[in-house]
Amino acid sequence: MDAIERPSPPGRPPLDTPPGHQPGGAPSRVPGRPAGRPAASLKRLAALLKSCHPGPTVVVTLLVAGLAVAAGQDTPGCVLATAAVLAGQLSVGWSNDAVDAVRDTAVGRGDKPVAGGAVGARTVRNAALVALVLCVPLSLLYGLLAGAVHLAGVLAAWAYNFGLKSTPLSWLPYAIGFASLPAFVTLGLPGAATPAWWIVTAAALVGVGAHLGNVLPDIEADLATGVRGWPQRLGPTAVRLLLPLPLVAATILLALGRPGALGAVAVGVALVAAVGGAVLGSRRPKLPFLAAIVVAAADVTLLLTQGAALS
């Protein structure tokens, strides 16, 4: 005997209609359930931005913007220099995560978006290439010589990502990259003035300090996966003691290059922070790194206030 079909109440779909569908087969969204695609796209975008190493990217970009303003560059020039450096830093950060994806996964770096599966390595690699392509014309539009110097710094950072990080010369790309920044700003000024040697050298020393500070938290994981750059060969204890030294040397150089009360104060702060971090570092392992941040802040302050001396 056939089952008797009972009519559905007005306004309701038939009883045999699958959940989430309206009569005629048109799907309906279940109340309270967000649309999946936009939310997933936003998550991937957030993961992509996180994989560019946003902290260093923002800091370096803002530093160059400040140097350009302090050096007297006009507004279009400041915008162009800032855009070029931002593109370069994005390319470096993304390429770093793309290259390190396998190693980060092996050591369980779930905080890294690619290793954690939040974004694909191919997506990050493509973003790095796009940023690098954009960096070339932006840099050269600021000035041919200036652009060439900046691109040399960016390529040095890419060389670090693709192998130099595992050699005793791992500090060199950082030195070249940081030294290129004030030179890039200066060479793009009207008249393409030559940058002051002591500012370029001080920037290179800050880069060496940044390399030590960047690697310090990951030394054990790096050694476990075969990465044996300069800091890894020194070991964590030696790196903690050495970390403030290039930064203090940069402070002294900047203070001597443009003598004044601010330079003397900066040197005093740098020495106290460095000595305190070295003496107390055996009992408080994080202190040398915090001391290095204080010294680096003093160096950046001097760089920004000595903008007129860039040339």
Side-chain angles (χ1 to χ4, degrees), residues 173-205:
Y174 273 82
I176 294 174
F178 274 74
S180 72
L181 297 176
F184 171 58
V185 171
T186 302
L187 291 169
L189 293 172
T194 303
W197 69 268
W198 45 275
I199 285 186
V200 175
T201 305
L205 289 169

Side-chain angles (χ1 to χ4, degrees), residues 69-267:
V69 172
Q73 181 62 272
D74 59 22
T75 300
C78 290
V79 172
L80 191 56
T82 303
V85 171
L86 175 60
Q89 290 301 304
L90 287 172
S91 78
V92 172
W94 278 325
S95 67
N96 182 274
D97 263 25
V99 171
D100 286 352
V102 174
R103 185 179 65 87
D104 289 338
T105 302
V107 297
R109 289 293 303 272
D111 59 314
K112 292 290 192 75
V114 178
V119 65
R122 178 182 296 179
T123 300
V124 175
R125 181 173 62 251
N126 290 341
L129 292 173
V130 170
L132 181 61
V133 169
L134 288 174
C135 179
V136 174
L138 289 171
S139 299
L140 296 177
L141 283 172
Y142 187 70
L144 292 180
L145 181 57
V149 168
H150 179 237
L151 291 174
V154 172
L155 292 178
W158 275 69
Y160 173 87
N161 292 341
F162 277 89
L164 273 180
K165 68 188 301 178
S166 296
T167 73
L169 293 177
S170 61
W171 58 272
L172 186 58
Y174 273 82
I176 294 174
F178 274 74
S180 72
L181 297 176
F184 171 58
V185 171
T186 302
L187 291 169
L189 293 172
T194 303
W197 69 268
W198 45 275
I199 285 186
V200 175
T201 305
L205 289 169
V206 171
V208 174
H211 174 45
L212 294 171
N214 184 57
V215 171
L216 179 58
D218 300 325
I219 287 180
E220 298 299 334
D222 288 341
L223 291 174
T225 54
V227 178
R228 292 183 54 81
W230 178 48
Q232 291 87 352
R233 295 166 191 257
L234 292 175
T237 300
V239 170
R240 287 192 185 97
L241 295 175
L242 180 62
L243 176 56
L245 297 186
L247 299 174
V248 171
T251 311
I252 294 173
L253 193 57
L254 290 170
L256 293 176
R258 180 63 68 86
L262 181 61
V265 171
V267 170

Side-chain angles (χ1 to χ4, degrees), residues 274-288:
V275 172
V279 172
L280 301 176
S282 59
R283 287 179 291 177
R284 299 189 177 187
K286 294 183 178 180
L287 201 57

